[in-house]
Amino acid sequence: MTTIRFFAAARAAVGVDSLSTTAGTIDEAVREVAAVDPERWAALQERCSYLVDGVTTRDRGTSLAGVEVVDVMPPFAGG
């Protein structure tokens, strides 16, 4: 079981801080999310980075086998 944690705009679009999944890849995990704002969530998925047990990836085909935590990190504005 993998915990998916959402931050900033991703959390707002999804409507929860985290969820658990048995999905096989990041792509499968994000596709199964029942977001409160589905259009915003769909647009964000393409722009997010993912921290897989602390290692950054943008490859949504990344396997979740043995992974404990995936952090969904949307693009941040600031400076």
Side-chain angles (χ1 to χ4, degrees):
M1 182 86 52
T2 301
T3 299
I4 309 292
R5 299 187 305 190
F6 303 94
F7 294 89
R11 180 179 350 169
V14 171
V16 297
D17 292 332
S18 65
L19 58 82
S20 295
T21 184
T22 58
T25 65
I26 293 172
D27 189 59
E28 291 172 6
V30 297
R31 288 179 185 270
E32 71 184 17
V33 172
V36 296
D37 187 343
E39 289 181 28
R40 186 175 184 191
W41 176 233
L44 276 171
Q45 290 176 40
E46 299 300 321
R47 299 182 357 235
C48 287
S49 294
Y50 302 91
L51 294 178
V52 180
D53 283 340
V55 178
T56 302
T57 186
R58 293 187 58 83
D59 179 4
R60 291 182 15 190
T62 300
S63 173
L64 296 181
V67 172
E68 290 186 32
V69 178
V70 174
D71 293 328
V72 179
M73 309 298 290
F76 292 97

